[in-house]
C-alpha cells in the first residue's frame, strides 16, 4: 500500500441544537440580531485548528481601505482569468457573477474587478466568516456551530459552480479546500465489507483535492481514473455528488459509477462511512443527489483502471454555407452514438461557420471506431467543408490530455451562466437532421460534450442516485451566456430570456428534458425532473432522514422547493 493519507479523527460529535434552531423558519444571517456574538465566534475559534477566515471579494484588493499594497491589486488583475489562483481564495467564484448579490429591485451589490466603473466595493454575495477545515474535527465543530445558531451554511472548495451553490450573502462558510489528503491502495476493501468481498485498486482523495492532483496521483501509481476536463475542479465535492462526467466516461462510466466509498460529516455532526455495505441509502443519494445537500463529504474513494495507450484527435471544419453546416452536423450527430459505443469521447464546438473538436480514444478503441469516423470525414469533404485533421499518440490518457486540459484552467474570471440539456441517443439515431437544426439554431451557440453512451448507457439507471436520463444521452450540449461587469440587471435579464428560449428549444431532443446537474442554469421550470428525474422522491426522502432540519440547502437542490427564492426562509 502506497499512502500519504493522514487519517482524521473518526469520532462522532453530538450536535448541540438550540431549541430556537428547531423552531426557526428562517436561517440566521450576519445582518440579523440572531447572528452569533463575538464571544461565540471566539469560542468557535478556540475549537478549530486554524484561525477563522473572513472571506472578501478578490477585487477588494484594488479598493480602499483594502489596497494597502499595489502589488496585491496587480496580482488580482493579472490572475483574473486564472482558475487555479481563484480556487485558492475563499471569497472567489469561478463565475464572478456569483460573487455579486442582486436585490429584488434590481440593484446589484458587488466588488467589481473593473475599478474604472466607479462603483464602491461591497461584500456582495460573499460569505462573511467561516472555518478553514483541516480535519474531520474541524468540520464537525463548524457543522455543530452552524446547526446551533441555524446559520445559512455554505460548503465551498473551489467555487466551480454555475449555480453559485457554494456562496451566499450573510452566510457562514465551511471551506474544505485544504483537505488535500491522497492515498492509493491496490487492495482496497470498503468498510464493513465481508471477508470474501472484492478488493479494488483504489484512490482516496480528500475534500480539497483537485483533479490535477488526483490525476497525478493515479498516474504515479500506474492507474487511470475518470475525472473532469478542468484540472482545477474539486475531485471530491460537487463533481462526484452531481454525477461527474469526463472523457473516460464512455469507457468506464460516470464519476458516480466509479465511487466505492464516501466519508461524510452529517448534519448532526456524526462522522460516517457510506458504501455498499453500510449507510447504503446515503451512499446511493450521494452518487448524483447533488453537492451541499446530505452532509459534508470528507473523502471519496474511486475505483481506478488500467492505463491504455491513447490517441488524441483534432479536426476542424470550415463551412462555406449554412447548408453545408446542416448536412455535416447531421452526419456528426448520426455518427456519435456508434462512435461512443466504440469508446470514443470528445468535445465539439459547433456553429453555422465551423466545427472544432478534441477527441480521445484508446488504441483498441481507435481500431473499433476508425471505420465509423473516417467515412464521416470524407463525407464532410464531399459536402463542401474545408477539413483539417490531426492525430497524436501518447502512452496514456493522462499524457494525451494534459496539454489540452491545462487550457481549461482559464475558463473563469467573468460573469457566466450556462443553459444545458442532454442530447438523446434515440433522437440522434432517429432524428439527426432535427437535432442538428436545433443545435445550430441557438442564439449563443455552444458545444457538445459527447461523454455519454458506451459504458454510461449500460449501467443500471437505478443503481445510483444520478438522473436516469444520463443513461439515454450521447452527452451534454452547453450554451454559455456572458456579460461585462457592471451590466444593469434589466440587460442581464434580457440575455437570460434569450437563453431561456434557447433552453426550451433543446427540450425536444433531450431525454425527459434532463441535463447534467453540475453544469446547468438557475431558471429551470422543473428542476426536480430536469436534474433528478424519477429518483427525486427517493432522494428527498433520504434527505429527510439525514438532514431533517435542512441545515444543507442549495439552489435547485433536493428539498429547495420548500424554501423561498433566497433559500433563507421556509415556505411552510
Amino acid at each position: 500500500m502506497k499512502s500519504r493519507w493522514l487519517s482524521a479523527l473518526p469520532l462522532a460529535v453530538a450536535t448541540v441544537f438550540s431549541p430556537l434552531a428547531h423552531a426557526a423558519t428562517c436561517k440566521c444571517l450576519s445582518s440579523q440580531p440572531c447572528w452569533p456574538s463575538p464571544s461565540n465566534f471566539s469560542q468557535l475559534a478556540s475549537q478549530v485548528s486554524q484561525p477563522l477566515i473572513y472571506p472578501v471579494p478578490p477585487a477588494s484588493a484594488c479598493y480602499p481601505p483594502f489596497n494597502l499594497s499595489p502589488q496585491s491589486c496587480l496580482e488580482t488583475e493579472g490572475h483574473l482569468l486564472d482558475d487555479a489562483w481563484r480556487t485558492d481564495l475563499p471569497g472567489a467564484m469561478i463565475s464572478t457573477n456569483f460573487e455579486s448579490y442582486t436585490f429584488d429591485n434590481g440593484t446589484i451589490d458587488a466588488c467589481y474587478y473593473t475599478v474604472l466603473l466607479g462603483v464602491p466595493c461591497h461584500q456582495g454575495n460573499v460569505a462573511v466568516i467561516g472555518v478553514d477545515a483541516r480535519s474531520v474535527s474541524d468540520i464537525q465543530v463548524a457543522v455543530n456551530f452552524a446547526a446551533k445558531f441555524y446559520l445559512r451554511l455554505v460548503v465551498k472548495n473551489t467555487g466551480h459552480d454555475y449555480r453559485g451553490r457554494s456562496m451566499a450573502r450573510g452566510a457562514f462558510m465551511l471551506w474544505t479546500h485544504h483537505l488535500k489528503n491522497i492515498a492509493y491502495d491496490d487492495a482496497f476493501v470498503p468498510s464493513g465489507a465481508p471477508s470474501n468481498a472484492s478488493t479494488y485498486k483504489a484512490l482516496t482523495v480528500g475534500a480539497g483535492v483537485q483533479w490535477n492532483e488526483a490525476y497525478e496521483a493515479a498516474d504515479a501509481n500506474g492507474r487511470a481514473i475518470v475525472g473532469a476536463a478542468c484540472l482545477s475542479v474539486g475531485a471530491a465535492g460537487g463533481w462526484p455528488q452531481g454525477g461527474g462526467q469526463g472523457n473516460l466516461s464512455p469507457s468506464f462510466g460516470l464519476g458516480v459509477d466509479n465511487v466505492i466509498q464516501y466519508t461524510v460529516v452529517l448534519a448532526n455532526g456524526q462522522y460516517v462511512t457510506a458504501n455498499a455495505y453500510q449507510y447504503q441509502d446515503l451512499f446511493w443519494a450521494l452518487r448524483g443527489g447533488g453537492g451541499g445537500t446530505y452532509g459534508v463529504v470528507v473523502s471519496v474513494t474511486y475505483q481506478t483502471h488500467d492505463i491504455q495507450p491513447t490517441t488524441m484527435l483534432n479536426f476542424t471544419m470550415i463551412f462555406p454555407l449554412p447548408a453545408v453546416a446542416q448536412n455535416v452536423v447531421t452526419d456528426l450527430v448520426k455518427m456519435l452514438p456508434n462512435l461512443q459505443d466504440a469508446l470514443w469521447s470528445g468535445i465539439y464546438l459547433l456553429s453555422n461557420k465551423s466545427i472544432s473538436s478534441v477527441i480521445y480514444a484508446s488504441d483498441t478503441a481507435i481500431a473499433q471506431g476508425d471505420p465509423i469516423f473516417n467515412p464521416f470525414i470524407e463525407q464532410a469533404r464531399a459536402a463542401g467543408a474545408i477539413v483539417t485533421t490531426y492525430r497524436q499518440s501518447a502512452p496514456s490518457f493522462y499524457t494525451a490530455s494534459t496539454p489540452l486540459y491545462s487550457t481549461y484552467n482559464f475558463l473563469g474570471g467573468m460573469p457566466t451562466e450556462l443553459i444545458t440539456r442532454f442530447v438523446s441517443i434515440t433522437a440522434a439515431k432517429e432524428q439527426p437532421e432535427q437535432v442538428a437544426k436545433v443545435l445550430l439554431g441557438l442564439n449563443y451557440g455552444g458545444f457538445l460534450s459527447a461523454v455519454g453512451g458506451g459504458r454510461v448507457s449500460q449501467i443500471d439507471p437505478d443503481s445510483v442516485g444520478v438522473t436516469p436520463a444520463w443513461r439515454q444521452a450521447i452527452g451534454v450540449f452547453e450554451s454559455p451566456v456572458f456579460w461585462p461587469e457592471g451590466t444593469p440587471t434589466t440587460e442581464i435579464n434580457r440575455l437570460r430570456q434569450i437563453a431561456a428560449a434557447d433552453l426550451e428549444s433543446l427540450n425536444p431532443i433531450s431525454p425527459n428534458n434532463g441535463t447534467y446537474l453540475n453544469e446547468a442554469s438557475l431558471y429551470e421550470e422543473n428542476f426536480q425532473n430536469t436534474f433528478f428525474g424519477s429518483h427525486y422522491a427517493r432522494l428527498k426522502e433520504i434527505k429527510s432522514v439525514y438532514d431533517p432540519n435542512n441545515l444543507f440547502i442549495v439552489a435547485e437542490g433536493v428539498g429547495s422547493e420548500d424554501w423561498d427564492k433566497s433559500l433563507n426562509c421556509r415556505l411552510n
Side-chain angles (χ1 to χ4, degrees):
M1 177 176 178
K2 302 175 183 178
S3 175
R4 58 183 180 91
W5 182 264
L6 301 176
S7 58
L9 296 175
L11 300 176
V13 178
T15 303
V16 183
F17 286 104
S18 71
L20 292 177
H22 279 293
T25 58
C26 293
K27 303 279 188 174
C28 181
L29 306 179
S30 62
S31 60
Q32 298 172 334
C34 58
W35 190 247
S37 68
S39 63
N40 295 140
F41 282 114
S42 294
Q43 184 179 11
L44 171 66
S46 70
Q47 296 176 312
V48 294
S49 65
Q50 302 295 312
L52 299 183
I53 56 172
Y54 297 86
V56 295
S60 63
C62 297
Y63 293 82
F66 308 101
N67 57 342
L68 301 179
S69 168
Q71 286 76 24
S72 62
C73 182
L74 291 175
E75 180 185 14
T76 298
E77 294 173 344
H79 288 283
L80 176 61
L81 303 180
D82 184 348
D83 288 6
W85 180 83
R86 303 186 67 78
T87 61
D88 282 338
L89 301 174
M93 296 290 284
I94 297 301
S95 298
T96 59
N97 44 303
F98 295 113
E99 297 172 9
S100 302
Y101 183 83
T102 303
F103 294 95
D104 290 341
N105 65 1
T107 302
I108 298 175
D109 188 83
C111 188
Y112 290 130
Y113 295 84
T114 308
V115 178
L116 294 178
L117 289 172
V119 178
C121 173
H122 292 144
Q123 189 75 9
N125 200 46
V126 178
V128 297
I129 193 171
V131 168
D132 178 6
R134 307 293 177 102
S135 68
V136 171
S137 177
D138 284 347
I139 296 174
Q140 291 174 311
V141 168
V143 166
N144 290 335
F145 185 82
K148 177 180 179 180
F149 292 98
Y150 209 49
L151 305 181
R152 176 70 185 276
L153 173 66
V154 292
V155 182
K156 183 179 185 289
N157 173 17
T158 67
H160 274 279
D161 195 334
Y162 289 104
R163 298 204 312 286
R165 294 169 293 176
S166 55
M167 200 68 78
R169 185 175 177 85
F172 175 74
M173 178 182 290
L174 176 49
W175 196 33
T176 63
H177 187 60
H178 290 115
L179 291 165
K180 294 288 190 179
N181 305 320
I182 301 178
Y184 176 72
D185 189 339
D186 60 6
F188 180 83
V189 179
S191 297
S195 58
N196 62 346
S198 299
T199 63
Y200 300 88
K201 297 180 184 295
L203 189 74
T204 299
V205 296
V209 172
Q210 294 165 268
W211 274 114
N212 63 307
E213 298 160 332
Y215 285 137
E216 290 171 3
D219 190 71
N221 287 282
R223 305 297 292 169
I225 188 170
V226 177
C230 183
L231 296 179
S232 58
V233 166
W239 188 86
Q241 292 176 72
Q245 54 97 341
N247 277 297
L248 287 178
S249 290
S251 296
F252 304 119
L254 298 172
V256 290
D257 301 326
N258 288 272
V259 173
I260 303 168
Q261 181 168 285
Y262 288 99
T263 61
V264 193
V265 173
L266 302 176
N268 67 357
Q270 187 180 2
Y271 179 51
V272 303
T273 299
N275 55 37
Y277 305 100
Q278 54 192 37
Y279 293 95
Q280 293 98 326
D281 54 349
L282 179 63
F283 184 51
W284 184 86
L286 287 170
R287 289 177 293 162
T293 300
Y294 296 93
V296 181
V297 168
V298 179
S299 71
V300 180
T301 301
Y302 288 102
Q303 180 178 5
T304 64
H305 305 276
D306 293 336
I307 286 178
Q308 302 179 55
T310 298
T311 296
M312 182 181 71
L313 305 88
N314 303 89
F315 73 78
T316 301
M317 299 180 176
I318 307 298
F319 305 132
L321 297 169
V324 176
Q326 173 66 36
N327 290 336
V328 173
V329 175
T330 296
D331 289 339
L332 172 67
V333 170
K334 187 187 304 182
M335 171 189 68
L336 283 176
N338 294 329
L339 195 63
Q340 290 169 236
D341 283 344
L343 308 185
W344 289 36
S345 67
I347 298 175
Y348 304 85
L349 182 63
L350 307 177
S351 76
N352 279 309
K353 296 181 179 180
S354 67
I355 300 178
S356 59
S357 72
V358 182
I359 306 168
Y360 296 98
S362 69
D363 284 1
T364 302
I366 285 288
Q368 296 173 333
D370 263 345
I372 302 168
F373 179 75
N374 291 338
F376 162 71
I377 295 294
E378 295 310 313
Q379 290 167 5
R381 288 193 173 107
I386 301 168
V387 182
T388 57
T389 63
Y390 171 77
R391 293 190 179 207
Q392 180 175 343
S393 296
S396 68
F397 173 76
Y398 174 72
T399 52
S401 63
T402 297
L404 179 75
Y405 274 21
S406 296
T407 68
Y408 286 108
N409 196 41
F410 295 90
L411 296 179
M414 63 185 73
T416 310
E417 291 182 0
L418 287 179
I419 61 159
T420 68
R421 279 292 181 271
F422 292 134
V423 177
S424 162
I425 293 174
T426 301
K429 290 179 176 179
E430 299 179 358
Q431 301 174 301
E433 299 91 347
Q434 180 62 21
V435 174
K437 184 178 180 180
V438 169
L439 298 184
L440 291 171
L442 300 178
N443 288 280
Y444 298 132
F447 57 94
L448 176 63
S449 293
V451 293
R455 179 65 176 150
V456 174
S457 63
Q458 297 165 10
I459 293 173
D460 178 4
D462 295 327
S463 62
V464 294
V466 75
T467 175
W470 254 120
R471 312 303 175 182
Q472 307 167 47
I474 60 172
V476 190
F477 192 83
E478 307 187 8
S479 182
V481 184
F482 307 99
W483 60 85
E485 276 195 325
T487 299
T489 302
T490 52
E491 175 60 14
I492 295 172
N493 288 338
R494 187 187 72 83
L495 297 174
R496 286 172 172 162
Q497 288 173 358
I498 295 171
D502 278 351
L503 187 61
E504 187 173 353
S505 71
L506 288 168
N507 284 336
I509 66 171
S510 174
N512 200 31
N513 297 348
T515 197
Y516 178 35
L517 174 62
N518 289 338
E519 298 172 7
S521 79
L522 276 167
Y523 29 97
E524 293 289 351
E525 292 186 0
N526 183 356
F527 78 85
Q528 297 95 323
N529 176 74
T530 294
F531 297 144
F532 308 105
S534 59
H535 290 165
Y536 188 76
R538 184 181 175 194
L539 288 168
K540 190 170 183 181
E541 181 180 356
I542 294 170
K543 179 172 176 61
S544 71
V545 172
Y546 291 98
D547 185 21
N549 292 323
N550 289 283
L551 180 65
F552 303 107
I553 291 291
V554 296
E556 294 179 329
V558 172
S560 64
E561 71 274 20
D562 298 331
W563 292 72
D564 66 6
K565 181 181 177 182
S566 73
L567 299 181
N568 292 326
C569 294
R570 299 174 190 267
L571 293 175
N572 48 49

